[in-house]
Amino acid sequence: MSTTGLPQGAVPKLERPGPLRDRVYEALLELITTRALQPGQHLVESELAGHLGVSRQPVREALQRLNTDGWVDLRPAQGAFVHEPTEAEADQLLTVRTLLEAEAARLAAANASAVSIAVLEELCVEGERAVAADDVDGAVAMNARLHAKIMELAGNTVLAELAAQVDRRVRWYYTPVARQRGQQSWIEHRDLIAAIADRDEQRATEIMRAHTEHTRKMYHEREK
């Protein structure tokens, strides 16, 4: 039985050109952040190498880097395991996310053009379609794209760089509650886009703060 838990053929073979260890790192990180590889799951080098179509060496190097970056735990005599985030870790990250996103929403309301508002509305439509189709991965991806677009509209490079540092971890924490958040999350997105379109900086800030707080609270309540 495969301990990686990945269905045969689910992971595309990596192309060889380029720095292979970096490509393996990115592939494994994507599997972790989308929870194709679950927190606590045992990661067997030989099986991961087989799934990715590479030797064990770049997989070993990628796991060591993922351990350094806090995505994987290397346990003596046991091997590698996907990191299991503590409640404190989740709370700290999602609290920081609230601060960053609320400021981004305020700046977006000050700067957004009619064209950019139309882009936000289209992203919202696609997210609503994903929810209606019970496509959790699609909803998570569209949620990330919409928030990234708002961050882009903020026009603050430093803010965007800080947000990029936590983006993947936000996706990691959001995935388990995406279905539970469901349509309500996109109703909040609609309200947020309306506030940005009205150039109402205060309301955009308040809606985004409440929106991200809902996700944080739901993450902590998901198993209660």
Side-chain angles (χ1 to χ4, degrees):
M1 181 178 178
S2 172
T3 53
T4 60
L6 292 170
Q8 198 66 27
V11 182
K13 299 293 188 288
L14 297 179
E15 296 179 4
R16 299 232 169 229
L20 189 56
R21 64 185 173 214
D22 292 344
R23 294 170 67 83
V24 171
Y25 173 90
E26 287 296 326
L28 293 179
L29 182 53
E30 184 66 14
L31 291 170
I32 291 171
T33 55
T34 59
R35 298 201 176 223
L37 293 172
Q38 290 285 321
Q41 190 166 338
H42 187 201
L43 303 174
V44 180
E45 287 181 9
S46 58
E47 292 186 359
L48 292 172
H51 278 299
L52 296 172
V54 299
S55 68
R56 293 176 64 174
Q57 182 60 32
V59 172
R60 183 177 300 116
E61 292 173 354
L63 291 176
Q64 291 171 345
R65 181 178 166 192
L66 288 164
N67 173 68
T68 299
D69 292 347
W71 293 100
V72 164
D73 296 329
L74 296 179
R75 303 174 188 170
Q78 296 183 52
F81 297 80
V82 178
H83 179 66
E84 295 185 74
T86 66
E87 292 295 299
E89 287 172 351
D91 196 65
Q92 290 171 15
L93 182 97
L94 294 174
T95 296
V96 169
R97 181 216 182 191
T98 294
L99 296 172
L100 296 174
E101 299 262 10
E103 177 62 7
R106 184 188 71 78
L107 292 171
N111 299 327
S113 65
V115 172
S116 59
I117 296 298
V119 172
L120 290 176
E121 290 175 344
E122 180 56 33
L123 290 172
C124 195
V125 168
E126 292 186 38
E128 290 166 342
R129 286 176 184 155
V131 170
D134 197 28
D135 177 4
V136 174
D137 289 342
V140 171
M142 295 313 304
N143 181 76
R145 285 183 60 187
L146 188 144
H147 281 265
K149 184 62 180 179
I150 292 172
M151 190 62 64
E152 176 189 325
L153 297 179
N156 185 311
T157 303
V158 175
L159 189 66
E161 289 175 351
L162 292 172
Q165 291 178 29
V166 302
D167 175 66
R168 267 181 157 155
R169 291 191 187 274
V170 168
R171 285 174 56 196
W172 194 33
Y173 293 125
Y174 182 68
T175 297
V177 300
R179 180 175 282 115
Q180 192 175 356
R181 286 285 276 133
Q183 189 59 40
Q184 180 58 38
S185 177
W186 295 92
I187 291 171
E188 293 164 12
H189 285 148
R190 283 279 177 195
D191 291 342
L192 176 60
I193 293 169
I196 292 173
D198 290 341
R199 296 189 173 278
D200 189 335
E201 297 179 37
Q202 181 176 347
R203 180 153 174 73
T205 302
E206 292 171 352
I207 292 173
M208 180 65 94
R209 183 176 290 115
H211 173 70
T212 53
E213 276 295 296
H214 289 160
T215 297
R216 186 182 69 84
K217 290 177 181 177
M218 191 163 287
Y219 180 86
H220 289 307
E221 295 170 357
R222 70 197 183 284
E223 296 176 351
K224 295 179 183 179

